[in-house]
Amino acid sequence: EKATLSVKFSLAEQSSPYATEFAKGMKEDDYLKKFKTYNPNAWCKDSCDENFTDINHPCRGTSSTCGIHHKNLDPGTQRPCSTSCWRFAFRFHQEESKESRGFMIQVEETAGLGDGQKIETEMAREANLKVFRTYTNYEGVDGREMGRISKAVKEWYDGDCANMDLENVFIGGEKFFYGDYTERPKYGKL
């Protein structure tokens, strides 16, 4: 099975420290490390949208919606390449995750979802891909928090991947120590 990681989009050389810690935590978690995970911040950042993350731009990562579809696939591998639109590459990996009975983990930082993540949510809905959305009330990630998302993913597989609703997973800390947060329903619609 394959997983797709949705983290805050950054045009900078590096992703946010939180996104980096989360990706590292997945690799260290005994259950989550078994999944082949696509991390978009490890790839190039080209786009058919001059603003990159304008939700009103029609591209949703498909050949019919992307404005640079002729640059999206390596001719030899038929996979996304360095000239690919980020939305096309992301959707490609979402589709691979879906086909392998995989999922997407959307990492929501304390300031909320980034604009690119909102687009990725729409694309996941279109692809009918299971989404686990983590939310938190502090800036760090450690093994205890990764255990919560790991448990949610394992329970989904134990349930034969039947529930395709958005699943919210809190991976923050106690309100007394780390600050307030609004508890969310476990399940929702994309």
Side-chain angles (χ1 to χ4, degrees), residues 15-158:
S15 60
S16 74
Y18 188 87
T20 301
E21 285 180 41
F22 192 94
K24 183 180 175 193
M26 278 187 73
K27 289 180 180 180
E28 293 172 353
D29 181 86
D30 287 339
Y31 186 72
L32 295 176
K33 70 182 178 184
K34 298 175 185 176
F35 296 94
K36 182 176 180 180
T37 302
Y38 170 68
N39 182 349
N41 281 347
W43 293 88
C44 67
K45 305 246 188 322
D46 201 355
S47 182
C48 65
D49 169 13
E50 66 182 26
N51 298 315
F52 278 76
T53 58
D54 178 358
I55 198 153
N56 295 314
H57 190 278
C59 181
R60 291 299 176 264
T62 64
S63 293
S64 62
T65 61
C66 185
I68 59 171
H69 57 86
H70 60 283
K71 295 172 43 176
N72 283 330
L73 293 175
D74 178 284
T77 65
Q78 292 299 299
R79 297 185 61 77
C81 57
S82 62
T83 59
S84 298
C85 172
W86 76 265
R87 296 179 196 213
F88 182 89
F90 198 87
R91 179 67 174 261
F92 181 92
H93 290 282
Q94 284 181 319
E95 295 288 351
E96 280 195 332
S97 292
K98 173 68 180 172
E99 290 169 11
S100 71
R101 283 185 36 146
F103 53 90
M104 179 171 96
I105 295 179
Q106 189 164 57
V107 181
E108 184 174 335
E109 298 183 26
T110 56
L113 294 175
D115 290 341
Q117 289 181 293
K118 293 173 186 174
I119 295 165
E120 292 163 356
T121 300
E122 283 191 11
M123 293 190 300
R125 182 182 45 76
E126 289 176 4
N128 195 31
L129 179 63
K130 173 68 174 183
V131 176
F132 296 91
R133 181 178 292 153
T134 66
Y135 66 106
T136 188
N137 61 343
Y138 70 98
E139 303 297 324
V141 179
D142 70 29
R144 290 184 306 257
E145 287 78 31
M146 293 311 294
R148 293 177 190 157
I149 185 65
S150 180
K151 180 179 183 244
V153 172
K154 185 172 185 330
E155 288 173 353
W156 182 63
Y157 276 101
D158 289 347

